[in-house]
Amino acid sequence: DQQVKQNSPSLSVQEGRISILNCDYTNSMFDYFLWYKKYPAEGPTFLISISSIKDKNEDGRFTVFLNKSAKHLSLHIVPSQPGDSAVYFCAASSNAGGTSYGKLTFGQGTILTVHP
Amino acid sequence: EPEVTQTPSHQVTQMGQEVILRCVPISNHLYFYWYRQILGQKVEFLVSFYNNEISEKSEIFDDQFSVERPDGSNFTLKIRSTKLEDSAMYFCASSEAGYDEAFFGQGTRLTVV
């Protein structure tokens, strides 16, 4: 079941530069998308989300872009900091009709390493 | 800042034994979830719980699994007869409205030997 895919297992970026993490989905019923950050031995930490009625949402250094026609979203981190080094998960849910109760489908994750 | 807490952080159990994983969701949240992550694999949905009943469950959540909210604060996942393949990180999560972001606990590492 590959409804949410993160095709890049890892990304390496220099401190101060932009990190761009990508995510593709196949289920057209998904209408809410989230990015989580995860450190080893910890639970996923919510970063930012976007509803399908928007194409961009910004929160500080983090911006999520949604391209519904391409079924693609991306997370931009500007400027990247060494503390951003973690695994980043894309997740999606389908809330239309009120039947999903918030079930999240996750991608495989991308390991981001930000070098000083 | 409110957080989801899980106990224990690590549980080792013998195959065939019952285990109960415990979670305290954020107090004003109404939707509760269990997810698991087998080493090297995706985070997978197990079950969602709302209004004191299961609202959705995955194929993984078979008759060996059950959830309960025994009081106003705890949310538990029971595995009746553990198998080796149940070894994973189990994450509890909660959300306020179901259609908003879910907040995760730090996880319980279950090792079945």
Side-chain angles (χ1 to χ4, degrees):
Chain A
D1 180 2
Q2 293 281 319
Q3 294 189 71
V4 179
K5 288 184 284 189
Q6 294 175 254
N7 292 317
S8 298
S10 63
L11 175 68
S12 184
V13 169
Q14 205 67 30
E15 181 179 6
R17 305 294 291 268
I18 185 171
S19 296
I20 300 176
L21 298 115
N22 294 302
C23 178
D24 297 294
Y25 62 96
T26 56
N27 188 341
S28 57
M29 297 299 291
F30 287 145
D31 56 9
Y32 188 59
F33 304 90
L34 309 90
W35 284 94
Y36 285 85
K37 173 181 177 179
K38 186 179 180 302
Y39 294 115
E42 293 186 13
T45 301
F46 170 73
L47 271 179
I48 192 168
S49 62
I50 188 166
S51 163
S52 61
I53 62 172
K54 295 185 174 182
D55 54 20
K56 177 182 173 181
N57 188 26
E58 193 171 351
D59 184 2
R61 295 186 299 115
F62 302 93
T63 303
V64 56
F65 295 91
L66 175 63
N67 183 334
K68 279 181 294 187
S69 60
K71 293 193 175 68
H72 177 83
L73 64 153
S74 60
L75 174 68
H76 293 209
I77 307 173
V78 183
S80 302
Q81 300 172 353
D84 295 330
S85 297
V87 181
Y88 287 77
F89 290 98
C90 168
S93 69
S94 170
N95 296 314
T99 58
S100 78
Y101 299 94
K103 168 191 170 183
L104 295 175
T105 302
F106 281 85
Q108 307 94 312
T110 297
I111 302 170
L112 173 65
T113 305
V114 181
H115 299 283
Chain B
E1 185 177 324
E3 60 180 15
V4 177
T5 57
Q6 290 185 242
T7 54
S9 56
H10 191 191
Q11 173 94 44
V12 180
T13 188
Q14 291 211 323
M15 192 168 53
Q17 295 296 303
E18 174 183 288
V19 293
I20 297 176
L21 309 183
R22 302 180 192 278
C23 170
V24 178
I26 295 173
S27 61
N28 65 327
H29 286 187
L30 300 177
Y31 295 79
F32 314 114
Y33 312 89
W34 285 100
Y35 290 82
R36 78 172 186 191
Q37 186 181 28
I38 295 171
L39 189 62
Q41 297 187 23
K42 286 187 179 189
V43 177
E44 302 174 287
F45 169 80
L46 291 178
V47 66
S48 58
F49 191 86
Y50 169 71
N51 200 25
N52 282 319
E53 62 182 20
I54 290 173
S55 47
E56 190 172 0
K57 60 183 181 180
S58 71
E59 294 171 354
I60 304 166
F61 195 89
D62 62 21
D63 292 344
Q64 293 298 314
F65 291 86
S66 62
V67 289
E68 197 177 36
R69 189 155 161 81
D71 53 41
S73 60
N74 290 285
F75 180 50
T76 62
L77 173 69
K78 182 193 293 186
I79 309 175
R80 262 179 272 283
S81 177
T82 49
K83 302 186 277 260
L84 294 176
E85 54 264 38
D86 294 328
S87 295
M89 282 290 286
Y90 287 80
F91 295 107
C92 173
S94 69
S95 75
E96 190 172 354
Y99 53 78
D100 55 352
E101 60 270 17
F103 292 87
F104 284 75
Q106 79 279 18
T108 293
R109 178 171 298 284
L110 177 65
T111 303
V112 183
V113 296

